[in-house]
């Protein structure tokens, strides 16, 4: 029996909130990843199940809508469920609820995952898994997260070197690290007065320990585009983000 | 009624473990901080109690002994309690237990905190709090964490810039960020074959967003010294660490 949605409770810790005591987006991405893996595990399609078949889930795209930000010490409920597939994507949705009011989620998200063959590093078709994989016919966000088109050139913000603490168990840079780098681009004055309301991210390529990454972004009133590339291969985008803010 | 030790359970998440699926030291520091603050809050000496009096607890020194490293997905029990004071230090100890065997802690730690006046940024004497503050006469590690003396000059490893995601609610670089920077110095081959068994850290000064920090370290067989300074004020050490490893 696999009851869906899968539910986890999180009580927000000091390291999961920002200077304003509110949930960081990178911490939200960590929570999504933790619950997604725990849910997949319960359903029989988790990390260990897939690794033993030479396969891995790799997060490709995600769209997040945030109506409010939970606070330090607050307990939130995170629901997640696999829904349908769309071409090579397995879609998984998330809803985050404040403990004090469960009538509406404060955060909604949809994510698109590829099933990667660890030997060839290429995506596999999902037909074989699809029939066996339980899912829920329910949308946190209906549309499949889009492919972003960034402006051709954007101002360089920073160059960072991938450190071991940015890596995950696949030995490549973790998705939350890219989100933290982009979150850090937002100027402090804007960060303190406006909050990210919608965020779409595309994880396009891998980076590894020691790689030098360029972080570029462009602000246009309430909208920001960001891009992270490998400094040695500037034509290859590893990560892109589009976000809008509101007061 | 304040039952001591204060206890929290943690089920290790993907972002809390390293490439080898084992608990990161910086995540351990985050867990210590979370439980310390939660414990202080229950005792009436927490973040909000102190802020309203213009005071704050600031972590000054910590010693950690790790006999084994918990794994991804494992649930661990963290016990913490205030013990005695030592000059200007309020001492707080920690013991981390594996859920499968609670006869001996897998991690033991002792920490020394200063009570800082937020206006003058200087430490306050503890007499006024001491009589009112509940404590437990029990040692995870008996000795007060020592003041480290680092070699005068060490090879430069890296220069990093403090980003917003390195800050905590006090708007300065969080203690776990310094630990992550030092943890990242350990060469990969050593990291995969030897584990940190003992770590002592001193938090000496503050750094803020945009500051450029120099990270220096020196390896001597199973021992490593590390130091982090503000690049503009090389004579001022912000953080130092001494650690020993074993297979």
């Amino acid at each position: 029996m696999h009851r869906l949605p899968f539910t986890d409770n999180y009580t927000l810790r000091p390291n999961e909130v920002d200077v304003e005591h509110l949930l960081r987006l990178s911490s939200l991405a960590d929570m999504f990843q933790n619950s997604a893996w725990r849910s997949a595990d319960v359903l029989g399609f988790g990390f260990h199940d897939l690794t033993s078949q030479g396969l891995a889930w790799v997060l490709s795209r995600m769209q997040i809508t945030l109506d409010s930000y939970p606070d330090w010490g607050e307990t939130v409920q995170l629901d997640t469920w696999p829904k349908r597939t769309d071409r090579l994507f397995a879609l998984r949705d998330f809803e985050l609820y404040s403990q004090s009011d469960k009538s509406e989620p404060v955060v909604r998200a949809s994510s698109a995952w590829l099933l990667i063959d660890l030997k060839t590093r290429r995506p596999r078709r999902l037909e074989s898994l699809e029939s066996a994989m339980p899912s829920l016919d329910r949308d946190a966000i209906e549309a499949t997260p889009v492919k972003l088109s960034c402006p051709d050139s954007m101002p360089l913000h920073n160059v960072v070197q991938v450190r071991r603490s940015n890596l995950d168990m696949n030995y490549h840079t973790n998705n939350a690290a890219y989100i933290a780098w982009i979150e850090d681009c937002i100027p402090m004055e804007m960060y303190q007065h406006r909050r990210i309301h919608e965020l779409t991210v595309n994880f396009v390529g891998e980076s590894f320990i020691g790689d030098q990454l360029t972080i570029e972004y462009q602000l246009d009133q309430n909208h920001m585009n960001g891009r992270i590339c490998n400094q040695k291969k500037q034509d290859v985008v590893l990560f892109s983000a589009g976000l809008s803010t509101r007061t």
Side-chain angles (χ1 to χ4, degrees), chain A:
Chain A
M1 278 296 294
H2 310 301
R3 222 174 45 185
L4 286 174
F6 179 87
T7 291
D8 268 321
N9 288 313
Y10 294 89
T11 301
L12 299 191
R13 306 176 189 166
N15 61 297
E16 291 168 342
V17 300
D18 62 16
V19 289
E20 304 283 318
H21 300 205
L22 300 175
L23 177 64
R24 299 176 197 272
L25 283 185
S26 56
S27 306
L28 180 66
D30 283 332
M31 287 158 53
F32 283 170
Q33 188 168 30
N34 182 51
S35 289
W37 288 19
R38 280 164 53 81
S39 161
D41 205 39
V42 168
L43 300 176
F45 298 88
F47 183 87
H48 298 292
D49 305 302
L50 264 64
T51 306
S52 65
Q53 300 173 58
L55 299 169
W57 289 119
V58 172
L59 181 58
S60 178
R61 300 179 190 171
M62 185 152 61
Q63 185 190 337
I64 309 175
T65 301
L66 301 105
D67 286 322
S68 77
Y69 282 69
D71 255 286
W72 174 38
E74 197 175 332
T75 298
V76 291
Q77 175 187 315
L78 180 58
D79 289 357
T80 182
W81 61 95
K83 52 179 195 182
R84 54 193 171 271
T85 61
D86 180 356
R87 290 158 294 159
L88 288 172
F89 293 132
L91 303 179
R92 171 180 283 280
D93 280 9
F94 301 89
E95 285 178 347
L96 189 78
Y97 291 87
S98 161
Q99 211 175 37
S100 55
D101 176 8
K102 292 196 179 153
S103 60
E104 285 285 334
V106 292
V107 177
R108 290 170 290 123
S110 188
S111 58
W113 301 71
L114 294 170
L115 185 66
I116 296 289
D117 183 313
L118 288 170
K119 215 179 271 174
T120 64
R121 306 303 267 188
R122 305 186 101 178
R124 276 273 194 92
R125 297 193 163 274
L126 295 168
E127 279 83 353
S128 53
L129 287 186
E130 212 173 349
S131 56
M133 195 158 58
S135 66
L136 199 63
D137 181 22
R138 174 177 147 191
D139 294 307
I141 293 176
E142 199 184 326
T144 298
V146 297
K147 182 174 177 180
L148 294 166
S149 56
C150 280
D152 274 346
S153 90
M154 291 194 279
L156 179 68
H157 172 64
N158 209 350
V159 178
V160 295
Q161 186 172 36
V162 177
R163 302 182 297 127
R164 187 167 45 236
S165 54
N166 303 129
L167 306 182
D168 61 24
M169 293 180 275
N170 293 321
Y171 273 82
H172 64 196
T173 306
N174 185 254
N175 70 69
Y178 294 105
I179 292 177
W181 284 318
I182 288 296
E183 208 174 359
D184 281 338
C185 290
I186 303 170
M188 189 65 103
E189 318 79 61
M190 181 172 166
Y191 193 84
Q192 287 171 317
H193 296 104
R194 304 189 64 81
R195 286 270 140 189
I196 295 172
H197 172 53
E198 286 203 327
L199 172 72
T200 302
V201 287
N202 289 180
F203 301 93
V204 188
E206 293 178 293
S207 63
F208 303 94
I209 194 167
D211 285 354
Q212 299 274 358
L213 310 184
T214 57
I215 302 174
E216 303 168 336
Y217 80 95
Q218 190 166 289
L219 260 173
D220 176 18
Q221 295 195 340
N222 304 337
H223 195 82
M224 191 177 112
N225 282 113
R227 178 166 58 195
I228 299 179
C229 300
N230 189 318
Q231 195 174 31
K232 287 204 181 147
K233 312 165 194 161
Q234 267 304 303
D235 48 336
V236 183
V237 176
L238 303 175
F239 170 83
S240 60
L243 62 89
S244 61
T245 62
R246 68 175 189 191
T247 48

